[in-house]
Amino acid sequence: MSEAGGRGCGSPVPQRAPWSLVAATAAICLVSATSVWTAGAEPMSREEKQKLGNQVLEMFDHAYGNYMEHAYPADELMPLTCRGRVRGQEPSRGDVDDALGKFSLTLIDSLDTLVVLNKTKEFEDAVRKVLRDVNLDNDVVVSVFETNIRVLGGLLGGHSLAIMLKEKGEYMQWYNDELLQMAKQLGYKLLPAFNTTSGLPYPRINLKFGIRKPEARTGTETDTCTACAGTLILEFAALSRFTGATIFEEYARKALDFLWEKRQRSSNLVGVTINIHTGDWVRKDSGVGAGIDSYYEYLLKAYVLLGDDSFLERFNTHYDAIMRYISQPPLLLDVHIHKPMLNARTWMDALLAFFPGLQVLKGDIRPAIETHEMLYQVIKKHNFLPEAFTTDFRVHWAQHPLRPEFAESTYFLYKATGDPYYLEVGKTLIENLNKYARVPCGFAAMKDVRTGSHEDRMDSFFLAEMFKYLYLLFADKEDIIFDIEDYIFTTEAHLLPLWLSTTNQSISKKNTTSEYTELDDSNFDWTCPNTQILFPNDPLYAQSIREPLKNVVDKSCPRGIIRVEESFRSGAKPPLRARDFMATNPEHLEILKKMGAASSIDAEDGLRFMQEMIELSSQQQKEQQLPPRAVQIVSHPFFGRVVLTAGPAQFGLDLSKHKETRGFVASSKPYNGCSELTNPEAVMGKIALIQRGQCMFAEKARNIQNAGAIGGIVIDDNEGSSSDTAPLFQMAGDGKDTDDIKIPMLFLFSKEGSIILDAIREYEEVEVLLSDKAKDRAAILKGKMIPSYIINSNPEMENEEQPSSENDAQNQSAEQISSSSQEVDLVDQESSEENSLNSHPEALSPADMDNAASISPSEQTSNPTENHETTNLNGECTDLDNQLQEQSETEEDSNPNVSWGKKVQPIDSILADWNEDIEAFEMMEKDEL
Ligand code: DMJ
């Protein structure tokens, strides 16, 4: 979600009808407040902002350059294996793959980002490539929603900026609406999806064969998500208004009208999924995140772009309901549409991070600041926003596919408040991306924010959205070659010009079913000139809202969060929550007895209590399991940048309780490790690589341990298996006592394993770190004289950082070493829903005698003894993670395996090392991985 920067109140808006002017200024007049705004955080200098802006440009080049060099014309880059993701050639990831239509998705999604980032020449080249290479007629079943927001939106955003550039007279002089023609062709390909009695589109369509033909392999679905049906109007209306072909806008309006009619009338909420034939709600839970998010976004933005009051009225009706039921500041919690006082779950998903940005557009800043602050603290705890996290801020789903929503909200909050605090937030996002997600061949999604492990995935929205918002956050007006305030951002951050509101508008109300009345003034609350209300003359306004929430995440513990939640509610005694329940407490027993009997409120509490109990108990079951581990490649040219998700073993050294194990890897002979090793000299003191199969995991462990190995990595023998597509599992023992196995053992699927095997072939000496969580690069490079640009992945800093003398070198080294290591978070687990799309049972089934204790990802979690937060006797939260972390740091100091890092190196050797590392880094940058 998003909206362009913003024209100040009173600025002339040419070519816009009066109502459109109101809409546009309502949305963006907040910006006028920014120029006068100074809040608690230190202002950021122009130089610093420019430096950060340049860093964003460099990062974009790294992502886009690697895509173009190694993946194009494929849809997406696989940044770990440095190749393109071609649908059908990789194991299916389920619905996620429905975005891939063999139409060079990343290139199309990146088009208007190139212009925003001032890369006009590259834009011109990219447009030529799209026109030359992209085929929209492939026999592929794609998601209508994703194709609309990413491809249709990408083509329209590209067209919008192409005509802007052409008009300026320097670039794109040859352009003759070719992107628009492609967009129109694609629009017609999507239209058959709307062939339902309701007018809601089918969720998928075959680009070549449509819906109904037998070859289409789709058209049998009955349900779609609300966002899927309700996120079309901006692109479809733009297509109609650009081309004059009214049909697109009409279809999108009809779908929106139907959703509006189907809203739950007493709560004014909509569910997550709906039957496209009957209009019945299939999932009756309702939130602002996954499945619904951009439906709300598009109602408000349709009003801004099209100036149609009915959209504002609908948005406001829904918004009131959201603020009444779902908003539980600083949380946003899903509820049931029929029983909106009943929470539908105890966790939140990462997609809702767009909502503060939408609230800025609406003009409701206070809750936007609160939710954003809460999200930022979750990010500070885990470096990224996990896909889902619980109300007590534990990880629920551990992945993070480099989603842009939080950056988007940060940008809008900065525009609205001018508070430099949000620039610092952006700086942290940049640092974390470089530190934890950057790999030699692009940026890799986080497979698990707790371990820091990567997934071989760089989604196109990372280029479409993340870099735009980050760049715009630090840019001044003169840093952008056009006026961003003349455009609205789609949900994929594609730019559509506001002048469309006055173009071909006669088509807009044909065939719509709803009747609209004149809007009363309440619909325009918070719009210009109400900045006085938004920004009372208190320069610390935003900070004063954030202040009480400063420690909301750190201070929370499973019981503490209840107090936090409740402290935001007023009035009656809070209901008993499952997490608080104690069977020994007579008061609790009394409340239980009353539930379901006395009143409807008690009944609702009872229902919620039961639901929470079920969820809690399944969560507790999961917490009996072990979480995934990390294999981090630390030797050059990887330098800790590549982190692979590994399965733990139920025997051997438990890496969560002990120091990590670091060593060079060596293949064992026989490779299956099922008999005494014939190459003990090769594996002695090293981490042995063994192939899965032929015998028990424990037997392999004993054989390599007897040969002197300090650890073992079992690599799956099912070719092509990957943690991206198969649920991870723990290696079980052999049913006997395994106490004799002292070394750590980890499991890698074949794809991750082959990254190490390829590295050995290429570089011979490959050193890895086995741990519960990827370690900070500065700690990994301890004692190595490596320029910090390698650690920070910012080549720009090369000149600044080179030490001129031995002393300088030593100081620099010390500085790097002191960099903090990551927090340890042991307790969280993924839920079964997380990988329901990704699970490949065949990859799991043991093809041999390995008795894998197969667990679904939902079951991957930590030992209960590893609970990271507890309540001490004084009722305060204590953080066992920190204690464990401290403990492990102390142990590390005395660890002979890492003592090499402290040895004093003569200067010649330091410089030799350094040169070697620089060379390696340069090679790496040339993608010789
Ligand atoms: C993007 O494709 C769009 O922002 C969409 O609305 C939902 N989220 C993804 C990125 O997370």
Side-chain angles (χ1 to χ4, degrees):
M1 110 89 211
S2 25
E3 152 57 358
R7 183 180 297 280
C9 293
S11 308
V13 184
Q15 301 170 27
R16 201 179 293 160
W19 36 261
S20 171
L21 177 66
V22 173
T25 51
I28 54 191
C29 67
L30 310 175
V31 179
S32 60
T34 66
S35 52
V36 293
W37 197 247
T38 47
E42 285 292 303
M44 191 179 271
S45 67
R46 171 97 176 116
E47 292 68 45
E48 172 80 349
K49 282 170 70 180
Q50 267 170 352
K51 194 173 154 208
L52 289 163
N54 287 337
Q55 224 172 319
V56 175
L57 293 177
E58 186 280 326
M59 289 163 72
F60 174 82
D61 288 344
H62 183 65
Y64 182 72
N66 274 296
Y67 164 73
M68 290 308 288
E69 194 172 341
H70 300 288
Y72 182 77
D75 284 316
E76 284 179 348
L77 171 72
M78 296 171 73
L80 295 182
T81 44
C82 210
R83 61 203 162 104
R85 182 182 294 283
V86 179
R87 203 160 156 195
Q89 287 178 20
E90 302 294 329
S92 163
R93 299 174 301 168
D95 290 0
V96 181
D97 284 341
D98 288 345
L100 312 177
K102 301 190 176 177
F103 35 35
S104 303
L105 177 65
T106 302
L107 179 64
I108 293 179
D109 229 2
S110 303
L111 286 179
D112 50 11
T113 306
L114 288 164
V115 185
V116 172
L117 270 54
N118 268 325
K119 295 180 179 292
T120 326
K121 175 77 187 61
E122 289 89 334
F123 173 70
E124 191 145 10
D125 292 346
V127 174
R128 287 188 199 277
K129 285 200 174 73
V130 169
L131 302 180
R132 187 191 66 196
D133 300 341
V134 173
N135 176 15
L136 297 172
D137 198 39
N138 301 310
D139 177 12
V140 196
V141 175
V142 292
S143 151
V144 172
F145 166 79
E146 297 290 358
T147 307
N148 173 58
I149 65 168
R150 301 198 205 193
V151 186
L152 188 56
L155 293 170
L156 290 170
H159 171 70
S160 303
L161 297 189
I163 55 177
M164 176 276 296
L165 287 170
K166 186 176 180 182
E167 203 178 306
K168 278 183 179 283
E170 193 182 346
Y171 292 97
M172 301 301 288
Q173 295 307 301
W174 53 270
Y175 182 70
N176 214 4
D177 293 351
E178 289 89 343
L179 289 176
L180 183 61
Q181 293 318 316
M182 280 183 85
K184 194 169 170 188
Q185 189 196 346
L186 181 60
Y188 280 118
K189 284 189 167 295
L190 295 180
L191 282 187
F194 293 79
N195 192 7
T196 57
T197 45
S198 64
L200 297 178
Y202 279 94
R204 293 181 196 84
I205 196 159
N206 185 306
L207 285 175
K208 192 178 181 71
F209 297 111
I211 291 278
R212 291 277 157 82
K213 293 202 185 106
E215 307 94 302
R217 305 186 305 281
T218 191
T220 52
E221 300 94 337
T222 53
D223 310 335
T224 196
C225 73
T226 301
C228 302
T231 311
L232 297 147
I233 186 71
L234 294 187
E235 293 82 1
F236 274 46
L239 185 54
S240 284
R241 293 181 179 219
F242 270 132
T243 62
T246 59
I247 190 164
F248 304 108
E249 184 169 338
E250 282 164 20
Y251 275 41
R253 279 178 179 263
K254 205 172 152 214
L256 275 182
D257 288 346
F258 190 83
L259 287 174
W260 174 244
E261 289 301 314
K262 289 291 167 187
R263 74 191 180 282
Q264 212 290 319
R265 297 296 173 122
S266 57
S267 66
N268 281 323
L269 292 172
V270 289
V272 172
T273 48
I274 188 165
N275 185 306
I276 52 177
H277 306 298
T278 64
D280 294 336
W281 290 111
V282 180
R283 273 185 53 191
K284 300 184 182 76
D285 42 327
S286 184
V288 296
I292 304 183
D293 47 2
S294 43
Y295 161 64
Y296 294 136
E297 177 186 354
Y298 270 35
L299 284 180
L300 183 55
K301 290 186 176 178
Y303 169 66
V304 175
L305 182 67
L306 308 175
D308 185 334
D309 287 355
S310 68
F311 292 127
L312 180 62
E313 198 178 13
R314 291 178 195 181
F315 174 79
N316 281 339
T317 305
H318 286 311
Y319 189 77
D320 282 349
I322 291 167
M323 295 316 283
R324 182 170 312 182
Y325 305 119
I326 293 168
S327 170
Q328 302 172 32
L331 312 179
L332 288 160
L333 272 183
D334 286 22
V335 299
H336 292 275
I337 55 174
H338 294 101
K339 289 181 181 296
M341 298 303 283
L342 205 60
N343 286 344
R345 54 172 83 127
T346 53
W347 46 270
M348 290 164 277
D349 62 63
L351 286 164
L352 62 73
F354 88 101
F355 199 67
L358 189 64
Q359 289 179 308
V360 170
L361 184 59
K362 152 82 180 154
D364 199 1
I365 306 293
R366 170 182 278 274
I369 292 171
E370 289 170 343
T371 300
H372 180 275
E373 180 58 22
M374 176 272 290
L375 294 169
Y376 185 44
Q377 289 183 37
V378 177
I379 289 173
K380 283 198 279 191
K381 193 172 160 89
H382 301 290
N383 302 322
F384 298 97
L385 202 56
E387 275 294 74
F389 53 95
T390 60
T391 49
D392 50 351
F393 309 112
R394 287 175 304 128
V395 174
H396 190 62
W397 300 347
Q399 309 106 303
H400 171 76
L402 309 180
R403 288 197 190 281
E405 284 77 4
F406 182 78
E408 174 185 346
S409 284
T410 305
Y411 166 62
F412 286 106
L413 270 166
Y414 177 62
K415 295 304 273 184
T417 64
D419 186 341
Y421 175 81
Y422 296 108
L423 296 176
E424 296 297 334
V425 171
K427 188 177 171 186
T428 305
L429 299 183
I430 290 175
E431 281 167 5
N432 287 350
L433 281 171
N434 276 328
K435 224 169 166 183
Y436 304 110
R438 187 172 178 136
V439 293
C441 194
F443 288 84
M446 304 308 291
K447 169 85 184 157
D448 188 320
V449 296
R450 299 161 301 172
T451 61
S453 58
H454 293 138
E455 197 172 342
D456 202 1
R457 162 177 183 189
M458 186 176 84
D459 288 73
S460 69
F461 53 68
F462 183 57
L463 288 97
E465 299 191 61
M466 183 71 90
F467 294 110
K468 264 191 204 119
Y469 292 124
L470 287 177
Y471 184 74
L472 289 171
L473 178 66
F474 298 105
D476 287 335
K477 218 171 167 57
E478 56 272 24
D479 297 326
I480 308 161
I481 53 174
F482 62 100
D483 193 349
I484 194 87
E485 296 166 21
D486 289 341
Y487 296 80
I488 189 164
F489 287 106
T490 68
T491 193
E492 188 79 357
H494 292 307
L495 296 172
L496 299 175
L498 288 169
W499 57 255
L500 285 175
S501 65
T502 52
T503 307
N504 282 326
Q505 51 181 308
S506 55
I507 61 178
S508 65
K509 287 189 182 163
K510 269 207 282 173
N511 296 344
T512 53
T513 55
S514 303
E515 284 174 11
Y516 307 113
T517 49
E518 191 72 357
L519 293 191
D520 65 37
D521 286 353
S522 66
N523 280 291
F524 299 95
D525 278 353
W526 309 116
T527 60
C528 290
N530 277 358
T531 46
Q532 285 305 310
I533 302 169
L534 295 172
F535 302 102
N537 290 328
D538 174 3
L540 296 177
Y541 176 68
Q543 200 199 10
S544 70
I545 295 171
R546 287 193 303 267
E547 191 58 28
L549 298 164
K550 221 172 54 193
N551 296 315
V552 71
V553 169
D554 267 356
K555 290 268 166 67
S556 83
C557 51
R559 293 169 64 79
I561 182 60
I562 298 303
R563 291 193 291 272
V564 174
E565 269 176 50
E566 301 305 343
S567 73
F568 286 96
R569 298 169 185 252
S570 54
K573 204 172 173 187
L576 177 62
R577 309 298 293 264
R579 289 164 298 177
D580 282 342
F581 177 71
M582 281 184 284
T584 48
N585 183 329
E587 202 190 334
H588 287 180
L589 292 174
E590 193 50 35
I591 299 173
L592 256 197
K593 262 196 240 156
K594 274 173 59 189
M595 281 176 180
S599 68
S600 63
I601 293 179
D602 288 334
E604 268 186 16
D605 286 348
L607 199 55
R608 175 172 56 196
F609 183 83
M610 290 311 294
Q611 230 175 15
E612 287 181 358
M613 269 302 193
I614 292 165
E615 207 169 306
L616 207 60
S617 102
S618 84
Q619 197 161 312
Q620 278 162 358
Q621 264 173 27
K622 291 174 206 162
E623 287 177 4
Q624 308 299 319
Q625 310 292 334
L626 294 172
R629 305 281 183 240
V631 174
Q632 189 169 15
I633 312 182
V634 296
S635 48
H636 79 82
F638 303 92
F639 300 121
R641 291 165 180 236
V642 172
V643 186
L644 308 168
T645 298
Q650 289 173 348
F651 52 84
L653 187 86
D654 182 349
L655 290 163
S656 69
K657 290 188 186 138
H658 298 82
K659 57 194 176 276
E660 68 274 2
T661 296
R662 178 173 183 151
F664 288 91
V665 294
S667 290
S668 54
K669 280 189 189 152
Y671 187 33
N672 64 29
C674 289
S675 54
E676 191 180 333
L677 262 50
T678 57
N679 65 337
E681 69 295 338
V683 300
M684 167 80 79
K686 295 192 176 160
I687 293 171
L689 303 179
I690 328 129
Q691 191 180 38
R692 182 184 183 184
Q694 312 291 319
C695 62
M696 305 291 219
F697 290 124
E699 201 175 329
K700 295 172 194 287
R702 287 194 183 94
N703 285 327
I704 60 168
Q705 180 173 280
N706 290 341
I710 57 168
I713 300 174
V714 179
I715 297 176
D716 197 8
D717 58 341
N718 291 313
E719 218 183 303
S721 69
S722 156
S723 69
D724 293 357
T725 48
L728 214 57
F729 61 87
Q730 315 173 21
M731 295 183 285
D734 53 5
K736 298 181 214 139
D737 185 0
T738 49
D739 283 355
D740 58 315
I741 303 173
K742 305 288 183 207
I743 58 173
M745 295 290 292
L746 294 182
F747 175 86
L748 288 180
F749 279 113
S750 140
K751 208 188 89 183
E752 284 81 12
S754 63
I755 290 173
I756 296 191
L757 295 171
D758 287 351
I760 301 181
R761 270 189 286 278
E762 186 93 357
Y763 304 106
E764 287 172 22
E765 301 265 85
V766 174
E767 192 180 19
V768 300
L769 197 66
L770 312 184
S771 61
D772 61 329
K773 181 168 185 168
K775 300 295 174 228
D776 193 289
R777 282 186 205 137
I780 288 166
L781 300 172
K782 212 170 182 179
K784 284 266 180 184
M785 298 313 303
I786 299 198
S788 66
Y789 70 82
I790 289 181
I791 299 169
N792 296 326
S793 305
N794 184 1
E796 208 196 337
M797 293 165 68
E798 182 176 357
N799 295 332
E800 291 167 31
E801 298 287 334
Q802 289 179 3
S804 55
S805 68
E806 188 177 355
N807 272 348
D808 288 350
Q810 279 163 354
N811 289 341
Q812 188 191 358
S813 171
E815 206 176 288
Q816 288 162 2
I817 292 165
S818 71
S819 168
S820 64
S821 54
Q822 297 176 30
E823 286 175 71
V824 179
D825 188 348
L826 305 165
V827 75
D828 312 313
Q829 73 283 320
E830 299 166 6
S831 96
S832 57
E833 289 142 278
E834 175 186 13
N835 276 330
S836 57
L837 302 175
N838 294 345
S839 66
H840 279 248
E842 69 280 5
L844 244 193
S845 57
D848 48 42
M849 290 167 64
D850 293 341
N851 52 343
S854 300
I855 53 164
S856 75
S858 60
E859 296 162 317
Q860 297 162 21
T861 184
S862 59
N863 191 311
T865 57
E866 297 165 343
N867 240 339
H868 67 159
E869 283 161 339
T870 60
T871 310
N872 68 17
L873 287 178
N874 300 324
E876 294 160 349
C877 291
T878 58
D879 192 340
L880 274 188
D881 284 355
N882 288 341
Q883 292 168 16
L884 283 172
Q885 175 74 6
E886 277 164 30
Q887 192 184 333
S888 99
E889 276 162 6
T890 322
E891 282 164 355
E892 187 176 292
D893 287 347
S894 59
N895 175 8
N897 288 333
V898 293
S899 63
W900 63 269
K902 292 197 173 129
K903 73 181 178 219
V904 181
Q905 279 179 282
I907 185 68
D908 286 348
S909 122
I910 289 173
L911 290 175
D913 257 9
W914 187 15
N915 281 333
E916 189 191 326
D917 287 328
I918 291 172
E919 259 173 49
F921 181 73
E922 283 165 354
M923 261 171 63
M924 174 179 65
E925 292 295 277
K926 285 186 201 138
D927 306 307
E928 299 196 3
L929 175 63

